[in-house]
Amino acid sequence: INYDAFQGASDFKGFAVEEKNAVYSDIDGVLFDKAGETLYIYPYGKGDEYVAPEGIKSVAPNAFYYSEIKKVVFPDSLEAIQREAFRNSTLLSTVEFGKGLKIIENDAFHSCRNLKNVSFSLFLEIIGDDAFNGCYNLENVVFPETLTFIGQGAFRGCRSITESSLPEKITEISERAFNGCSSLKKITMGNSIKSIQDRAFSGCSSLEEITLP
């Protein structure tokens, strides 16, 4: 089933998958794989808040694409948010990831312009390219010490972030990682930093202080 097969179906509140189906299952109307570990599609008319079930391990590409969801809570079993999973979910304001999340893939929250509150997992390792690009209202983010990589343009245009402290395991600040963070005043880098790529902080017009090891 293609992710945009039901795009714009605002009254569509849920799937009903028969038990004999060998590929899909539904949990409270939300489409999952047969094992209930990968969330494939969140129905457009399902509701604006969602608490994912324990046992979910990943959110598939475009699962919430252009949805009208406002708040999502994930359990500790979640390990991955795949590419473009929430892209253009412009009403989304709050996401709670749980403790098990390890990777947020490319463009996962691209253009979620009302996203304000994000609680990162204590075991998060990778934030992909453009993962939070265009999240204009995203405020100060606290990175866990397990984080090893922040991709190109990951926080580009996040103009509400005022300060950030990078974990010790970060060795490189990727190209355009914080480009256009116009309210960013202070950035602290860990002892492992080796390179700062092109335009990493370009357009950070309020930047006053950079702490280097």
Side-chain angles (χ1 to χ4, degrees), residues 100-131:
L101 185 66
K102 295 179 180 179
I103 180 170
I104 299 173
E105 293 187 3
N106 298 356
D107 299 289
F109 294 91
H110 196 298
S111 300
C112 293
R113 57 174 179 255
N114 280 311
L115 184 60
K116 184 176 182 180
N117 302 304
V118 171
S119 176
F120 285 129
S121 158
L122 295 176
F123 299 100
L124 184 64
E125 298 174 1
I126 296 172
I127 297 176
D129 296 349
D130 297 298

PDB file of all heavy atoms in Angstrom, residues 100-131:
ATOM      1  N   GLY A 100      14.441   3.952  23.863  1.00  0.00           N
ATOM      2  CA  GLY A 100      15.165   3.029  22.994  1.00  0.00           C
ATOM      3  C   GLY A 100      15.552   3.537  21.623  1.00  0.00           C
ATOM      4  O   GLY A 100      16.259   2.847  20.890  1.00  0.00           O
ATOM      5  N   LEU A 101      15.112   4.737  21.251  1.00  0.00           N
ATOM      6  CA  LEU A 101      15.356   5.243  19.896  1.00  0.00           C
ATOM      7  C   LEU A 101      16.841   5.427  19.617  1.00  0.00           C
ATOM      8  O   LEU A 101      17.561   6.067  20.383  1.00  0.00           O
ATOM      9  CB  LEU A 101      14.627   6.573  19.703  1.00  0.00           C
ATOM     10  CG  LEU A 101      14.694   7.166  18.291  1.00  0.00           C
ATOM     11  CD1 LEU A 101      13.947   6.282  17.297  1.00  0.00           C
ATOM     12  CD2 LEU A 101      14.131   8.579  18.276  1.00  0.00           C
ATOM     13  N   LYS A 102      17.307   4.880  18.475  1.00  0.00           N
ATOM     14  CA  LYS A 102      18.720   4.952  18.114  1.00  0.00           C
ATOM     15  C   LYS A 102      18.975   5.812  16.882  1.00  0.00           C
ATOM     16  O   LYS A 102      20.054   6.393  16.748  1.00  0.00           O
ATOM     17  CB  LYS A 102      19.272   3.547  17.870  1.00  0.00           C
ATOM     18  CG  LYS A 102      19.271   2.662  19.106  1.00  0.00           C
ATOM     19  CD  LYS A 102      19.813   1.274  18.789  1.00  0.00           C
ATOM     20  CE  LYS A 102      19.805   0.400  20.035  1.00  0.00           C
ATOM     21  NZ  LYS A 102      20.318  -0.978  19.731  1.00  0.00           N
ATOM     22  N   ILE A 103      18.012   5.885  15.973  1.00  0.00           N
ATOM     23  CA  ILE A 103      18.239   6.624  14.739  1.00  0.00           C
ATOM     24  C   ILE A 103      16.992   7.376  14.279  1.00  0.00           C
ATOM     25  O   ILE A 103      15.883   6.855  14.322  1.00  0.00           O
ATOM     26  CB  ILE A 103      18.732   5.682  13.612  1.00  0.00           C
ATOM     27  CG1 ILE A 103      18.965   6.459  12.319  1.00  0.00           C
ATOM     28  CG2 ILE A 103      17.774   4.523  13.395  1.00  0.00           C
ATOM     29  CD1 ILE A 103      19.672   5.645  11.245  1.00  0.00           C
ATOM     30  N   ILE A 104      17.224   8.621  13.855  1.00  0.00           N
ATOM     31  CA  ILE A 104      16.203   9.434  13.200  1.00  0.00           C
ATOM     32  C   ILE A 104      16.730   9.679  11.792  1.00  0.00           C
ATOM     33  O   ILE A 104      17.747  10.353  11.609  1.00  0.00           O
ATOM     34  CB  ILE A 104      15.969  10.766  13.937  1.00  0.00           C
ATOM     35  CG1 ILE A 104      15.483  10.510  15.365  1.00  0.00           C
ATOM     36  CG2 ILE A 104      14.945  11.615  13.183  1.00  0.00           C
ATOM     37  CD1 ILE A 104      15.377  11.761  16.219  1.00  0.00           C
ATOM     38  N   GLU A 105      16.078   9.118  10.790  1.00  0.00           N
ATOM     39  CA  GLU A 105      16.611   9.151   9.438  1.00  0.00           C
ATOM     40  C   GLU A 105      16.362  10.481   8.725  1.00  0.00           C
ATOM     41  O   GLU A 105      15.716  11.393   9.262  1.00  0.00           O
ATOM     42  CB  GLU A 105      16.031   7.988   8.627  1.00  0.00           C
ATOM     43  CG  GLU A 105      16.491   6.623   9.106  1.00  0.00           C
ATOM     44  CD  GLU A 105      16.049   5.499   8.186  1.00  0.00           C
ATOM     45  OE1 GLU A 105      15.426   5.765   7.124  1.00  0.00           O
ATOM     46  OE2 GLU A 105      16.339   4.334   8.513  1.00  0.00           O
ATOM     47  N   ASN A 106      16.888  10.575   7.513  1.00  0.00           N
ATOM     48  CA  ASN A 106      16.822  11.797   6.710  1.00  0.00           C
ATOM     49  C   ASN A 106      15.389  12.313   6.563  1.00  0.00           C
ATOM     50  O   ASN A 106      14.462  11.543   6.295  1.00  0.00           O
ATOM     51  CB  ASN A 106      17.401  11.561   5.313  1.00  0.00           C
ATOM     52  CG  ASN A 106      18.861  11.183   5.328  1.00  0.00           C
ATOM     53  OD1 ASN A 106      19.503  11.155   6.376  1.00  0.00           O
ATOM     54  ND2 ASN A 106      19.405  10.889   4.149  1.00  0.00           N
ATOM     55  N   ASP A 107      15.233  13.621   6.739  1.00  0.00           N
ATOM     56  CA  ASP A 107      13.965  14.320   6.495  1.00  0.00           C
ATOM     57  C   ASP A 107      12.804  13.828   7.363  1.00  0.00           C
ATOM     58  O   ASP A 107      11.643  14.089   7.059  1.00  0.00           O
ATOM     59  CB  ASP A 107      13.546  14.196   5.023  1.00  0.00           C
ATOM     60  CG  ASP A 107      14.563  14.809   4.074  1.00  0.00           C
ATOM     61  OD1 ASP A 107      14.683  16.039   4.041  1.00  0.00           O
ATOM     62  OD2 ASP A 107      15.252  14.049   3.364  1.00  0.00           O
ATOM     63  N   ALA A 108      13.104  13.131   8.439  1.00  0.00           N
ATOM     64  CA  ALA A 108      12.048  12.519   9.246  1.00  0.00           C
ATOM     65  C   ALA A 108      10.993  13.518   9.717  1.00  0.00           C
ATOM     66  O   ALA A 108       9.794  13.211   9.735  1.00  0.00           O
ATOM     67  CB  ALA A 108      12.647  11.799  10.445  1.00  0.00           C
ATOM     68  N   PHE A 109      11.431  14.717  10.102  1.00  0.00           N
ATOM     69  CA  PHE A 109      10.504  15.747  10.588  1.00  0.00           C
ATOM     70  C   PHE A 109      10.618  17.034   9.758  1.00  0.00           C
ATOM     71  O   PHE A 109      10.304  18.116  10.236  1.00  0.00           O
ATOM     72  CB  PHE A 109      10.772  16.044  12.066  1.00  0.00           C
ATOM     73  CG  PHE A 109      10.466  14.896  12.981  1.00  0.00           C
ATOM     74  CD1 PHE A 109      11.438  13.962  13.301  1.00  0.00           C
ATOM     75  CD2 PHE A 109       9.188  14.726  13.494  1.00  0.00           C
ATOM     76  CE1 PHE A 109      11.167  12.888  14.132  1.00  0.00           C
ATOM     77  CE2 PHE A 109       8.889  13.650  14.320  1.00  0.00           C
ATOM     78  CZ  PHE A 109       9.881  12.732  14.643  1.00  0.00           C
ATOM     79  N   HIS A 110      11.048  16.890   8.535  1.00  0.00           N
ATOM     80  CA  HIS A 110      11.236  18.043   7.653  1.00  0.00           C
ATOM     81  C   HIS A 110       9.939  18.850   7.544  1.00  0.00           C
ATOM     82  O   HIS A 110       8.864  18.315   7.299  1.00  0.00           O
ATOM     83  CB  HIS A 110      11.656  17.555   6.267  1.00  0.00           C
ATOM     84  CG  HIS A 110      12.234  18.613   5.381  1.00  0.00           C
ATOM     85  ND1 HIS A 110      11.535  19.726   4.971  1.00  0.00           N
ATOM     86  CD2 HIS A 110      13.469  18.744   4.838  1.00  0.00           C
ATOM     87  CE1 HIS A 110      12.289  20.472   4.201  1.00  0.00           C
ATOM     88  NE2 HIS A 110      13.492  19.899   4.102  1.00  0.00           N
ATOM     89  N   SER A 111      10.061  20.157   7.770  1.00  0.00           N
ATOM     90  CA  SER A 111       8.947  21.100   7.610  1.00  0.00           C
ATOM     91  C   SER A 111       7.800  20.903   8.596  1.00  0.00           C
ATOM     92  O   SER A 111       6.665  21.304   8.329  1.00  0.00           O
ATOM     93  CB  SER A 111       8.411  21.061   6.173  1.00  0.00           C
ATOM     94  OG  SER A 111       9.422  21.401   5.252  1.00  0.00           O
ATOM     95  N   CYS A 112       8.085  20.288   9.739  1.00  0.00           N
ATOM     96  CA  CYS A 112       7.092  20.246  10.829  1.00  0.00           C
ATOM     97  C   CYS A 112       7.208  21.575  11.570  1.00  0.00           C
ATOM     98  O   CYS A 112       7.799  21.656  12.652  1.00  0.00           O
ATOM     99  CB  CYS A 112       7.358  19.056  11.747  1.00  0.00           C
ATOM    100  SG  CYS A 112       7.077  17.454  10.971  1.00  0.00           S
ATOM    101  N   ARG A 113       6.660  22.600  10.980  1.00  0.00           N
ATOM    102  CA  ARG A 113       6.966  23.957  11.416  1.00  0.00           C
ATOM    103  C   ARG A 113       6.407  24.327  12.781  1.00  0.00           C
ATOM    104  O   ARG A 113       6.819  25.324  13.374  1.00  0.00           O
ATOM    105  CB  ARG A 113       6.494  24.958  10.364  1.00  0.00           C
ATOM    106  CG  ARG A 113       5.019  24.900  10.005  1.00  0.00           C
ATOM    107  CD  ARG A 113       4.654  26.032   9.062  1.00  0.00           C
ATOM    108  NE  ARG A 113       3.261  26.010   8.674  1.00  0.00           N
ATOM    109  CZ  ARG A 113       2.819  25.617   7.480  1.00  0.00           C
ATOM    110  NH1 ARG A 113       3.664  25.188   6.584  1.00  0.00           N
ATOM    111  NH2 ARG A 113       1.527  25.637   7.212  1.00  0.00           N
ATOM    112  N   ASN A 114       5.466  23.550  13.317  1.00  0.00           N
ATOM    113  CA  ASN A 114       4.943  23.825  14.656  1.00  0.00           C
ATOM    114  C   ASN A 114       5.557  22.937  15.734  1.00  0.00           C
ATOM    115  O   ASN A 114       5.195  23.043  16.907  1.00  0.00           O
ATOM    116  CB  ASN A 114       3.416  23.676  14.679  1.00  0.00           C
ATOM    117  CG  ASN A 114       2.719  24.900  14.118  1.00  0.00           C
ATOM    118  OD1 ASN A 114       3.029  26.021  14.505  1.00  0.00           O
ATOM    119  ND2 ASN A 114       1.806  24.690  13.192  1.00  0.00           N
ATOM    120  N   LEU A 115       6.478  22.074  15.334  1.00  0.00           N
ATOM    121  CA  LEU A 115       7.127  21.198  16.302  1.00  0.00           C
ATOM    122  C   LEU A 115       7.949  22.036  17.279  1.00  0.00           C
ATOM    123  O   LEU A 115       8.853  22.767  16.890  1.00  0.00           O
ATOM    124  CB  LEU A 115       8.027  20.188  15.593  1.00  0.00           C
ATOM    125  CG  LEU A 115       8.699  19.139  16.475  1.00  0.00           C
ATOM    126  CD1 LEU A 115       7.654  18.304  17.216  1.00  0.00           C
ATOM    127  CD2 LEU A 115       9.606  18.237  15.644  1.00  0.00           C
ATOM    128  N   LYS A 116       7.611  21.907  18.542  1.00  0.00           N
ATOM    129  CA  LYS A 116       8.235  22.741  19.567  1.00  0.00           C
ATOM    130  C   LYS A 116       8.960  21.915  20.621  1.00  0.00           C
ATOM    131  O   LYS A 116      10.052  22.272  21.064  1.00  0.00           O
ATOM    132  CB  LYS A 116       7.169  23.610  20.238  1.00  0.00           C
ATOM    133  CG  LYS A 116       7.703  24.594  21.264  1.00  0.00           C
ATOM    134  CD  LYS A 116       6.579  25.478  21.806  1.00  0.00           C
ATOM    135  CE  LYS A 116       7.100  26.499  22.798  1.00  0.00           C
ATOM    136  NZ  LYS A 116       6.025  27.361  23.328  1.00  0.00           N
ATOM    137  N   ASN A 117       8.359  20.819  21.018  1.00  0.00           N
ATOM    138  CA  ASN A 117       8.905  20.015  22.108  1.00  0.00           C
ATOM    139  C   ASN A 117       9.325  18.629  21.624  1.00  0.00           C
ATOM    140  O   ASN A 117       8.509  17.866  21.122  1.00  0.00           O
ATOM    141  CB  ASN A 117       7.864  19.861  23.218  1.00  0.00           C
ATOM    142  CG  ASN A 117       7.400  21.200  23.757  1.00  0.00           C
ATOM    143  OD1 ASN A 117       8.217  21.996  24.193  1.00  0.00           O
ATOM    144  ND2 ASN A 117       6.107  21.451  23.720  1.00  0.00           N
ATOM    145  N   VAL A 118      10.605  18.325  21.767  1.00  0.00           N
ATOM    146  CA  VAL A 118      11.147  17.027  21.395  1.00  0.00           C
ATOM    147  C   VAL A 118      11.955  16.480  22.564  1.00  0.00           C
ATOM    148  O   VAL A 118      12.832  17.161  23.090  1.00  0.00           O
ATOM    149  CB  VAL A 118      12.049  17.121  20.147  1.00  0.00           C
ATOM    150  CG1 VAL A 118      12.762  15.812  19.903  1.00  0.00           C
ATOM    151  CG2 VAL A 118      11.223  17.496  18.929  1.00  0.00           C
ATOM    152  N   SER A 119      11.644  15.268  22.976  1.00  0.00           N
ATOM    153  CA  SER A 119      12.376  14.621  24.055  1.00  0.00           C
ATOM    154  C   SER A 119      13.189  13.478  23.467  1.00  0.00           C
ATOM    155  O   SER A 119      12.651  12.419  23.140  1.00  0.00           O
ATOM    156  CB  SER A 119      11.395  14.087  25.104  1.00  0.00           C
ATOM    157  OG  SER A 119      12.062  13.379  26.116  1.00  0.00           O
ATOM    158  N   PHE A 120      14.502  13.705  23.294  1.00  0.00           N
ATOM    159  CA  PHE A 120      15.350  12.701  22.655  1.00  0.00           C
ATOM    160  C   PHE A 120      15.626  11.521  23.588  1.00  0.00           C
ATOM    161  O   PHE A 120      15.760  11.678  24.797  1.00  0.00           O
ATOM    162  CB  PHE A 120      16.678  13.308  22.227  1.00  0.00           C
ATOM    163  CG  PHE A 120      16.594  14.186  21.010  1.00  0.00           C
ATOM    164  CD1 PHE A 120      17.136  15.455  21.020  1.00  0.00           C
ATOM    165  CD2 PHE A 120      15.989  13.732  19.851  1.00  0.00           C
ATOM    166  CE1 PHE A 120      17.071  16.264  19.897  1.00  0.00           C
ATOM    167  CE2 PHE A 120      15.908  14.531  18.732  1.00  0.00           C
ATOM    168  CZ  PHE A 120      16.451  15.797  18.747  1.00  0.00           C
ATOM    169  N   SER A 121      15.758  10.336  22.975  1.00  0.00           N
ATOM    170  CA  SER A 121      16.132   9.134  23.702  1.00  0.00           C
ATOM    171  C   SER A 121      17.536   9.267  24.272  1.00  0.00           C
ATOM    172  O   SER A 121      18.415   9.904  23.680  1.00  0.00           O
ATOM    173  CB  SER A 121      16.076   7.927  22.750  1.00  0.00           C
ATOM    174  OG  SER A 121      16.870   6.872  23.215  1.00  0.00           O
ATOM    175  N   LEU A 122      17.771   8.629  25.398  1.00  0.00           N
ATOM    176  CA  LEU A 122      19.095   8.641  26.017  1.00  0.00           C
ATOM    177  C   LEU A 122      20.093   7.791  25.239  1.00  0.00           C
ATOM    178  O   LEU A 122      21.298   7.841  25.509  1.00  0.00           O
ATOM    179  CB  LEU A 122      19.001   8.128  27.454  1.00  0.00           C
ATOM    180  CG  LEU A 122      18.196   8.985  28.432  1.00  0.00           C
ATOM    181  CD1 LEU A 122      18.116   8.300  29.783  1.00  0.00           C
ATOM    182  CD2 LEU A 122      18.816  10.368  28.571  1.00  0.00           C
ATOM    183  N   PHE A 123      19.601   7.014  24.253  1.00  0.00           N
ATOM    184  CA  PHE A 123      20.473   6.131  23.473  1.00  0.00           C
ATOM    185  C   PHE A 123      20.524   6.523  22.000  1.00  0.00           C
ATOM    186  O   PHE A 123      21.027   5.767  21.174  1.00  0.00           O
ATOM    187  CB  PHE A 123      20.007   4.688  23.625  1.00  0.00           C
ATOM    188  CG  PHE A 123      20.060   4.194  25.040  1.00  0.00           C
ATOM    189  CD1 PHE A 123      18.915   4.148  25.828  1.00  0.00           C
ATOM    190  CD2 PHE A 123      21.261   3.801  25.610  1.00  0.00           C
ATOM    191  CE1 PHE A 123      18.962   3.705  27.141  1.00  0.00           C
ATOM    192  CE2 PHE A 123      21.318   3.362  26.922  1.00  0.00           C
ATOM    193  CZ  PHE A 123      20.165   3.313  27.687  1.00  0.00           C
ATOM    194  N   LEU A 124      20.040   7.705  21.663  1.00  0.00           N
ATOM    195  CA  LEU A 124      20.051   8.160  20.275  1.00  0.00           C
ATOM    196  C   LEU A 124      21.484   8.278  19.761  1.00  0.00           C
ATOM    197  O   LEU A 124      22.342   8.858  20.411  1.00  0.00           O
ATOM    198  CB  LEU A 124      19.347   9.511  20.168  1.00  0.00           C
ATOM    199  CG  LEU A 124      19.190  10.090  18.758  1.00  0.00           C
ATOM    200  CD1 LEU A 124      18.283   9.194  17.914  1.00  0.00           C
ATOM    201  CD2 LEU A 124      18.626  11.506  18.826  1.00  0.00           C
ATOM    202  N   GLU A 125      21.732   7.708  18.559  1.00  0.00           N
ATOM    203  CA  GLU A 125      23.071   7.712  17.983  1.00  0.00           C
ATOM    204  C   GLU A 125      23.189   8.570  16.727  1.00  0.00           C
ATOM    205  O   GLU A 125      24.226   9.189  16.493  1.00  0.00           O
ATOM    206  CB  GLU A 125      23.494   6.274  17.645  1.00  0.00           C
ATOM    207  CG  GLU A 125      23.576   5.364  18.864  1.00  0.00           C
ATOM    208  CD  GLU A 125      23.859   3.915  18.481  1.00  0.00           C
ATOM    209  OE1 GLU A 125      24.009   3.639  17.261  1.00  0.00           O
ATOM    210  OE2 GLU A 125      23.931   3.072  19.381  1.00  0.00           O
ATOM    211  N   ILE A 126      22.135   8.602  15.918  1.00  0.00           N
ATOM    212  CA  ILE A 126      22.215   9.273  14.616  1.00  0.00           C
ATOM    213  C   ILE A 126      20.994  10.149  14.369  1.00  0.00           C
ATOM    214  O   ILE A 126      19.857   9.715  14.552  1.00  0.00           O
ATOM    215  CB  ILE A 126      22.328   8.234  13.482  1.00  0.00           C
ATOM    216  CG1 ILE A 126      23.632   7.430  13.611  1.00  0.00           C
ATOM    217  CG2 ILE A 126      22.253   8.903  12.110  1.00  0.00           C
ATOM    218  CD1 ILE A 126      23.709   6.260  12.651  1.00  0.00           C
ATOM    219  N   ILE A 127      21.262  11.382  13.923  1.00  0.00           N
ATOM    220  CA  ILE A 127      20.223  12.275  13.412  1.00  0.00           C
ATOM    221  C   ILE A 127      20.575  12.538  11.954  1.00  0.00           C
ATOM    222  O   ILE A 127      21.620  13.112  11.649  1.00  0.00           O
ATOM    223  CB  ILE A 127      20.157  13.598  14.201  1.00  0.00           C
ATOM    224  CG1 ILE A 127      19.768  13.325  15.657  1.00  0.00           C
ATOM    225  CG2 ILE A 127      19.139  14.550  13.562  1.00  0.00           C
ATOM    226  CD1 ILE A 127      19.767  14.570  16.539  1.00  0.00           C
ATOM    227  N   GLY A 128      19.742  12.088  11.030  1.00  0.00           N
ATOM    228  CA  GLY A 128      20.057  12.130   9.612  1.00  0.00           C
ATOM    229  C   GLY A 128      19.967  13.500   8.971  1.00  0.00           C
ATOM    230  O   GLY A 128      19.568  14.494   9.596  1.00  0.00           O
ATOM    231  N   ASP A 129      20.330  13.552   7.697  1.00  0.00           N
ATOM    232  CA  ASP A 129      20.310  14.787   6.917  1.00  0.00           C
ATOM    233  C   ASP A 129      18.910  15.402   6.918  1.00  0.00           C
ATOM    234  O   ASP A 129      17.909  14.706   6.701  1.00  0.00           O
ATOM    235  CB  ASP A 129      20.711  14.520   5.470  1.00  0.00           C
ATOM    236  CG  ASP A 129      22.145  14.025   5.327  1.00  0.00           C
ATOM    237  OD1 ASP A 129      22.898  14.094   6.315  1.00  0.00           O
ATOM    238  OD2 ASP A 129      22.495  13.581   4.214  1.00  0.00           O
ATOM    239  N   ASP A 130      18.853  16.698   7.163  1.00  0.00           N
ATOM    240  CA  ASP A 130      17.599  17.471   7.094  1.00  0.00           C
ATOM    241  C   ASP A 130      16.495  16.919   7.989  1.00  0.00           C
ATOM    242  O   ASP A 130      15.308  17.163   7.751  1.00  0.00           O
ATOM    243  CB  ASP A 130      17.089  17.543   5.648  1.00  0.00           C
ATOM    244  CG  ASP A 130      18.048  18.280   4.728  1.00  0.00           C
ATOM    245  OD1 ASP A 130      18.294  19.471   4.970  1.00  0.00           O
ATOM    246  OD2 ASP A 130      18.562  17.672   3.776  1.00  0.00           O
ATOM    247  N   ALA A 131      16.876  16.192   9.014  1.00  0.00           N
ATOM    248  CA  ALA A 131      15.882  15.539   9.872  1.00  0.00           C
ATOM    249  C   ALA A 131      14.874  16.514  10.466  1.00  0.00           C
ATOM    250  O   ALA A 131      13.687  16.211  10.578  1.00  0.00           O
ATOM    251  CB  ALA A 131      16.572  14.763  10.982  1.00  0.00           C
TER     252      ALA A 131
END
